Amino acid sequence: MRHHVRSFVLAMLIAVLFTLGACAPSSTVRLLYRPADAPQIPAPTAPSISVVQFKDTRSNSYIGVRSDNTPFIPNGTVPDWVTQSLADALTRQGLRVTYAQNLETARASQPQYILTGELQEVWIRENSRTDISASVKAFISVIGHKGKLISEGMTSSLSKQGLPGSAAAEELLYNTLQELVQSVANKTQQAIAAQR
């Protein structure tokens, strides 16, 4: 009887370990993008701003490491993801936003303001099977006809504890980015409003 109980307990333990292993985050991390539910149309008199594709100054093409030191690989282009997310956040603030691949293209569209940025870090760290952290760092500049409005480094860091899951890393990274772009959008809107 004891042999059967031990065998059953061992079988259950193995099943739990396989289940936890299947729930571990994948090495590929989707760069989640969730535009606003309804497209927002800024007023024709709203300030115009061109958001230039962020320059990638990160030292790695991967975006973090798992607890076993294997890399987290993004499923897309990280600077595009950050830049587009920021452009959407500025649109939600009521600005007329255009997206430019480079500074020359931005200037050619003659916006009232131009936002440029350097992407310094996008990083996920799986500290343990139940503890994960993420950080996003960027240097942002906003210039207008009267000169520079904003020129500063911005950082967002979040962490999450709980049961592992395949979406844990990408959800945490998405939330970390949203915190950063919302902060940048708010500061930009306030700086523009102060100039008007």
Side-chain angles (χ1 to χ4, degrees):
M1 177 76 174
R2 284 187 177 166
H3 178 69
H4 292 297
V5 170
R6 275 190 232 156
S7 296
F8 176 75
V9 169
L10 182 59
M12 290 303 293
L13 183 58
I14 289 170
V16 167
L17 290 174
F18 276 121
T19 301
L20 286 177
C23 292
S26 168
S27 291
T28 300
V29 176
R30 292 182 303 151
L31 300 176
L32 300 178
Y33 179 72
R34 297 177 183 137
D37 292 337
Q40 294 184 312
I41 300 170
T45 56
S48 61
I49 186 166
S50 184
V51 179
V52 179
Q53 166 86 32
F54 275 39
K55 180 180 178 185
D56 194 353
T57 61
R58 298 173 303 135
S59 58
N60 297 310
S61 59
Y62 55 95
I63 55 172
V65 289
R66 296 181 62 172
S67 57
D68 62 2
N69 285 325
T70 57
F72 281 114
I73 308 297
N75 76 333
T77 307
V78 178
D80 287 347
W81 176 62
V82 173
T83 309
Q84 189 60 54
S85 295
L86 179 54
D88 286 349
L90 289 165
T91 300
R92 288 185 193 103
Q93 290 286 340
L95 301 174
R96 289 184 296 131
V97 180
T98 57
Y99 180 89
Q101 287 291 325
N102 53 53
L103 192 54
E104 293 74 30
T105 305
R107 286 183 178 138
S109 67
Q110 298 182 336
Q112 292 169 283
Y113 303 95
I114 296 175
L115 186 149
T116 59
E118 288 185 1
L119 185 57
Q120 298 170 329
E121 180 178 286
V122 173
W123 198 252
I124 307 167
R125 175 73 189 170
E126 184 184 57
N127 303 306
S128 72
R129 301 289 293 194
T130 58
D131 179 18
I132 193 166
S133 58
S135 63
V136 179
K137 294 180 184 176
F139 188 84
I140 308 295
S141 292
V142 178
I143 56 171
H145 299 301
K146 297 179 181 177
K148 203 168 276 192
L149 278 69
I150 299 173
S151 183
E152 67 179 277
M154 307 283 285
T155 303
S156 175
S157 300
L158 296 174
S159 59
K160 182 177 182 178
Q161 288 78 36
L163 292 175
S166 60
E170 55 199 35
E171 285 291 336
L172 182 62
L173 187 60
Y174 172 79
N175 291 333
T176 306
L177 176 65
Q178 290 306 306
E179 183 178 88
L180 180 107
V181 299
Q182 193 57 52
S183 178
V184 172
N186 289 340
K187 282 191 172 201
T188 302
Q189 173 65 16
Q190 290 164 5
I192 289 172
Q195 294 245 317
R196 303 186 90 198

